[in-house]
Each structure stands twice: as structure tokens, then as C-alpha cells.
Amino acid sequence: MKPLPRRGRAAAPVLVAVLAAAAGCADVDGLRDDGNLGTVHAPQSLWADIHPDPPGPGQNPGTAAVVPGLPKVAGLSMRGVNALEVVRADVTAATAQDQGTGRLVDPRAVQRLALCTQAVDGGPQCPVRPAVLHDVTGNGRDELITALDIDGRVSELRVYTVQDDGSIARILSRRGVLEGVEVAAEHLAVREPTSNPEKVSVSDYVWDPEARIMNLSQLTLDECPGTKDSPAPCSSASQR
């Protein structure tokens, strides 16, 4: 074979590179042919002409509401406030307001509260969780955080604050499967299971000084805290 002329030698590497790229070969720069990636389609909107009615007056659980029937809090401190009395007054008012629609409170809540006795903690059968005091508004005063367990899975999470006039107001009402509830500084995070047994959804609530409620600020997915060799990495995965 005759040697290539000087010009042909310079062009040979270029020709090889072009042929390699055309054949889909990978070089040191990572060139790669991923094949046919398919056709990209725009999202299809389902039922675009159907919209839910807006909530009626007082039918939005994401609003602050003074709990009626409670005495003013002396010293503007939640310490010493009976959490069971607060929840009972709030559930009673919400049940009367939503007339059994379940938008403000689970219809079974009143029946569940009937299990509570006159004891300070409501007795051993009381479904109201022990109150936790934590400042989530940043005003230096603790809020009252508790939950009413409706059944073995669903709960009503409630957060209450003392307003400047001493009245108690609900600043968060959240129904869900409480895989976990965490507080840090002025954040409250609610962890709930998803259809993926290895993932939990995390709803992060922060104080909104203008709306005067705890508003949802971020919704993310997180790994379940179980071990890799556990058949049910989320504690409630086996209940779904």
C-alpha cells in the first residue's frame, strides 16, 4: 500500500472522528448516541372546563379562627392551658359550622372526644395527644401543638396561639396520616406516607405574619427512615 500523501495524513484523523460520531461511538468527551428518544408531547389537561366551587365563608381550614367559648389567657402564656378543653371547644364549633361536611373537622371527631374523661389528661382512652409547647410564630410565646386521633391511621393536627387580647386562635388545622411531626425554630414539618413505600411526603409550614396562620411553604419527598434490609422501610407501609 502506498503511503498517504502529506495532506492525506493530516485529514485522516478528522475523517475517523467524523465517522465515529456518525456511528454513535463514545470518545473521551462522552459523545454518545442514545437512540430514538421518542416524541415529546405537551401535558394533556384533563377536565379543563370543570373547576371546584370556592369554599364558603368559614369553610377554609387554612384560616385563623378564634376558638369560641374559652376564657382569655392570663399572661398570654399557653402554659397551664388545658389542651383538651381547647380541642373540644374548637371541634364543637367547627362541627356546627361545617354541618357534617367534613371540610373543617372529621365528622367522627365529636364521637372520639366523648371517650375523654374529666381527668386533666382526658384519661387512658382519650384520643387527644399530649400537648407540645413550641414557639412557631417567633413572637417569644409558645404555641400549643396537639392532635386528635380519629382512628388508627387518620388524625387531626391542630396548632393554637394566644393573641394579644388573650384569646386563643387556631392557626393550623391539618387532617392526615401523621407519619411524623417535627418542629424546628419557626417551622413545623408534617411527614406522611405516599404510594411509594420508600418515600414520605414532607409538608413544611411556616408562620405567615400577614395572614396570621401557618402557611404551607414547601412540599418535598424524602426517603423513609428505615433500614435497607427492612421489608417495610416506613412504619405505616404495611398498613396501606
Side-chain angles (χ1 to χ4, degrees), residues 1-213:
M1 181 181 292
K2 294 183 180 181
L4 291 172
R6 184 177 302 274
R7 183 176 180 181
R9 291 179 182 178
V14 176
L15 178 61
V16 172
V18 171
L19 292 176
C25 297
D27 64 3
V28 294
D29 292 327
L31 292 176
R32 184 177 64 254
D33 180 8
D34 290 328
N36 185 1
L37 298 180
T39 304
V40 177
H41 297 282
Q44 180 182 0
S45 181
L46 305 181
W47 311 296
D49 57 340
I50 301 177
H51 303 282
D53 293 334
Q59 294 292 300
N60 186 1
T63 56
V66 173
V67 180
L70 294 174
K72 296 294 181 69
V73 177
L76 305 182
S77 173
M78 276 291 187
R79 297 186 183 277
V81 172
N82 189 309
L84 177 55
E85 291 181 0
V86 174
V87 173
R88 183 179 280 119
D90 188 22
V91 167
T92 300
T95 300
Q97 191 173 15
D98 73 8
Q99 299 179 344
T101 64
R103 186 172 294 177
L104 293 179
V105 64
D106 192 291
R108 298 169 291 175
V110 172
Q111 181 180 3
R112 292 287 292 159
L113 280 173
L115 297 175
C116 300
T117 67
Q118 296 300 317
V120 176
D121 61 355
Q125 302 300 319
C126 186
V128 177
R129 298 189 185 187
V132 175
L133 299 179
H134 187 87
D135 181 12
V136 294
T137 62
N139 63 358
R141 301 198 296 256
D142 287 336
E143 275 66 50
L144 189 153
I145 305 170
T146 187
L148 169 61
D149 295 325
I150 301 300
D151 53 31
R153 188 160 179 80
V154 177
S155 302
E156 293 262 355
L157 176 66
R158 301 289 173 116
V159 181
Y160 303 93
T161 191
V162 178
Q163 301 191 128
D164 292 339
D165 63 354
S167 59
I168 295 179
R170 183 187 65 242
I171 58 175
L172 177 63
S173 174
R174 178 80 151 71
R175 184 183 311 158
V177 180
L178 306 182
E179 188 73 54
V181 180
E182 304 165 354
V183 288
E186 297 165 22
H187 289 253
L188 186 146
V190 180
R191 302 172 68 86
E192 295 182 278
T194 68
S195 58
N196 184 340
E198 298 180 353
K199 301 286 186 180
V200 291
S201 68
V202 183
S203 303
D204 188 32
Y205 291 88
V206 297
W207 174 246
D208 185 334
E210 295 184 2
R212 308 293 296 173
I213 61 171

